[in-house]
Amino acid sequence: MANEVISTEQNFLRVRNLCKSFDALKVLDNVSTDIHLGEVTCVLGPSGAGKSTFLRCLNRLETPESGEIICFGKNTLTRDYDIRSLREEVGMVFQQFNLFPLKTVLSNVMLAPVVVKKIKKAEARELAMSELEKVGLAEKANSLPGTLSGGQKQRVAIARSLAMKPKLMLFDEPTSALDPELVSDVLDVMKQLARDGMTMVVVTHEMGFAREVADRILFMADGKIIEDDAPDVFFDSPRTERARAFVEKML
């Protein structure tokens, strides 16, 4: 397996009774699950189900009102927890790329290793070029993000996260902002990451990708995890009426 084993336990990220509200709207309602080492977990569900909020809580971009997130043996929700250490271990790829527009592709990928991990620039440059090669964009190293297609921007964003050598990658609907013809290149990169053993949690509407690549499907609705199953079970014989209706609509 490509990733270093973090502990002897397979459930190296544990979520217990997570609750999150925005004003009167309860977005996460006692969500509990485990993320398993080396697995790809796809989070599916209708809009407003709480999928993106769940993902953003995992890396503390959102702070839940209650519950526990045990990551690498530590509760990330305690007051004395160092969030920066979490960001070093957990990479995230967003819908809208979030690249720095006035920095080159290479500089975008180099930035976090230099600033956060204090890697020397020469070493960071070599690392960044290696990650850009993995996503097929080494030739764009000196280009500005504004000259790239949406799919290319997203692949740069993936390379930027990979440059931090994370143990877990979170993807928040990484293809939702892309034109349909650009989606496959991004999904191909993600499939290769899965083959390399990267532990991934992916919020997606790409049902074909979820069925092909996921080890587990978490189906969310109304702020709760309604089903947690293997892809063949979820897609072929969902257990709840809510999931059946979703699958029929999406396939």
Side-chain angles (χ1 to χ4, degrees), residues 14-126:
R14 297 181 173 186
V15 180
R16 294 293 181 267
N17 305 117
L18 212 61
C19 292
K20 174 67 179 176
S21 298
F22 294 106
D23 297 323
L25 179 63
K26 196 159 195 174
V27 181
L28 297 178
D29 186 3
N30 280 302
V31 170
S32 296
T33 191
D34 295 323
I35 303 302
H36 304 149
L37 182 68
E39 286 191 353
V40 177
T41 302
C42 281
V43 185
L44 310 181
S47 297
K51 306 183 300 295
S52 292
T53 300
F54 169 66
L55 213 63
R56 291 171 67 86
C57 285
L58 293 185
N59 76 342
R60 289 291 308 275
L61 288 175
E62 299 285 354
T63 302
E65 284 88 42
S66 60
E68 290 185 338
I69 301 174
I70 309 299
C71 189
F72 313 124
K74 296 182 179 180
N75 187 351
T76 69
L77 301 181
T78 58
R79 288 185 178 181
D80 61 348
Y81 182 78
D82 181 6
I83 295 178
R84 189 173 69 172
S85 68
L86 178 70
R87 305 272 165 79
E88 290 182 11
E89 304 285 10
V90 180
M92 185 155 182
V93 177
F94 301 87
Q95 297 177 33
Q96 297 293 339
F97 326 128
N98 292 353
L99 300 177
F100 293 100
L102 300 182
K103 291 184 178 294
T104 66
V105 164
L106 181 62
S107 295
N108 266 277
V109 180
M110 287 175 57
L111 186 63
V114 170
V115 173
V116 178
K117 290 199 167 182
K118 310 301 181 185
I119 293 175
K120 292 181 180 180
K121 286 189 176 181
E123 182 182 347
R125 179 182 297 273
E126 183 177 340

Side-chain angles (χ1 to χ4, degrees), residues 207 234-235 238 241-251:
M207 298 298 105
F234 177 78
F235 285 109
E241 183 57 39
R242 189 70 183 269
R244 281 193 291 272
F246 176 83
V247 170
E248 289 173 3
K249 182 178 179 180
M250 297 299 293
L251 294 182

